[in-house]
Amino acid sequence: MPKLDLDTVPVKTGSIYPDPLAAEMVGRTSLRLGDAGGLTQFGANLVILEPGAKSSLRHWHLKEDEFVMVTDGIVTLIDDHGETKMNVGDCAAFPAGDANGHHFINKTDSEARFLVVGTKAPTETATYSDIDMKLEVKDGSYNFMRKDGSPL
């Protein structure tokens, strides 16, 4: 049946970031809805942020589009334009190649959730706006490096 049972979708915790950056993702979990439904062309994830948690380090994608819609609570979008409060139903779009580094932080006392839909490019580069790091993804492997390509 195509309907997903959210109670049985595995919860992903932790981060793919190298230490000590991985510790910055405490309080962030996600449900990999697209994977649970067998989707291969795009990802769909429900991100859950506890109070004070952030979605990721501020970043942008070279080849992948991202779309976000708040489903519960309030989050603050932080990007190159500053801070924007986002309520239930608010949406944001991040086109591939737009170097507007972004992430979301839950600055409230209640849990917040948002749906993220994005391209699943076979190769990808993500650049982290506030630190000297980029990520190259190829064939399912993740390679973190400095922005000039040298090892971290």
Side-chain angles (χ1 to χ4, degrees), residues 13-117:
T13 59
S15 169
I16 63 168
Y17 294 139
D19 288 329
L21 299 171
E24 292 190 41
M25 298 302 103
V26 170
R28 178 206 188 271
T29 57
S30 66
L31 301 177
R32 302 294 175 144
L33 303 174
D35 290 348
L39 301 181
T40 60
Q41 296 179 19
F42 62 91
N45 301 313
L46 184 64
V47 176
I48 304 162
L49 297 180
E50 296 298 324
K54 64 176 104 172
S55 61
S56 63
L57 300 173
R58 213 163 65 87
H59 69 285
W60 60 275
H61 294 275
L62 184 63
K63 297 180 181 178
E64 295 182 346
D65 290 334
E66 277 186 289
F67 173 83
V68 172
M69 180 177 191
V70 179
T71 60
D72 291 289
I74 300 168
V75 295
T76 300
L77 162 63
I78 299 174
D79 68 1
D80 291 347
H81 305 289
E83 295 190 10
T84 305
K85 183 175 155 182
M86 294 184 62
N87 298 296
V88 172
D90 287 343
C91 301
F94 306 98
D98 181 356
N100 181 8
H102 58 275
H103 70 173
F104 298 86
I105 298 179
N106 181 353
K107 293 186 174 189
T108 74
D109 294 331
S110 301
E111 180 183 274
R113 294 176 177 226
F114 58 90
L115 179 67
V116 180
V117 178

